[in-house]
Amino acid sequence: MKRKLLSRILITLLGAALILWAAESLALGLFGERTTAVVTSIRREGGERADVLTNRYTYNISYTFILPDGKEMYGFTKEIGGAVYLKTNGTGRIAVRYFKIMPYINTPEGNSPFSLGPLILTGTGIFLIVQMNRKKS
């Protein structure tokens, strides 16, 4: 009985975390401050992805931006791309959104809030919570 209760709690917490992640992405897109960041590194992660399409790789893209008070902030994102990619030379720039009161929470503007990602995260979170907490007949 305790094991079932623990699994229900953990999966419900996972569903809530997915919903919060989607809400954070949406809030950054709507209310976040916009600035320009410099791409500091692009690194290919692991080998070829096990996708249907061939020659697909996961890339870690690191960037840095300066706040209005002069403090330097760092961030990173992951992207999926082809086998050919460019090395950084310190001139690549991307648009970034961040919360003014918590600039360490930031994301590239390309991860827009009006994409399918936050909807899928929210739907998955709601599904997990409902399925784990519904009354059995």
Side-chain angles (χ1 to χ4, degrees):
M1 188 66 175
K2 287 183 182 181
R3 180 172 244 174
K4 282 185 179 182
L5 180 63
L6 181 63
S7 65
R8 284 177 73 181
I9 291 171
L10 290 176
I11 292 177
T12 299
L13 288 174
L14 175 64
L18 290 174
I19 293 169
L20 288 174
W21 186 9
E24 178 255 343
S25 173
L26 183 64
L28 267 174
L30 294 175
F31 308 115
E33 299 289 322
R34 187 178 190 275
T35 190
T36 303
V38 176
V39 177
T40 56
S41 75
I42 301 174
R43 189 174 52 87
R44 189 161 67 190
E45 179 182 291
E48 188 174 350
R49 293 174 55 89
D51 290 345
V52 175
L53 301 173
T54 59
N55 287 328
R56 306 278 288 166
Y57 296 87
T58 302
Y59 295 98
N60 291 320
I61 302 170
S62 299
Y63 55 87
T64 182
F65 60 97
I66 308 294
L67 297 174
D69 65 0
K71 186 175 179 183
E72 188 174 28
M73 297 302 298
Y74 302 93
F76 78 95
T77 187
K78 291 181 181 268
E79 296 218 357
I80 298 171
V84 178
Y85 67 100
L86 301 173
K87 296 288 185 178
T88 59
N89 59 5
T91 60
R93 304 211 183 281
I94 58 173
V96 174
R97 290 207 174 255
Y98 67 95
F99 289 129
K100 196 173 201 173
I101 58 173
M102 294 181 289
Y104 47 86
I105 298 178
N106 57 70
T107 188
E109 197 170 44
N111 300 348
S112 73
F114 303 110
S115 65
L116 203 54
L119 291 174
I120 292 172
L121 286 175
T122 302
T124 304
I126 290 171
F127 175 78
L128 288 174
I129 291 171
V130 168
Q131 286 299 314
M132 291 311 293
N133 296 300
R134 68 186 168 115
K135 301 287 183 204
K136 304 223 186 313
S137 54

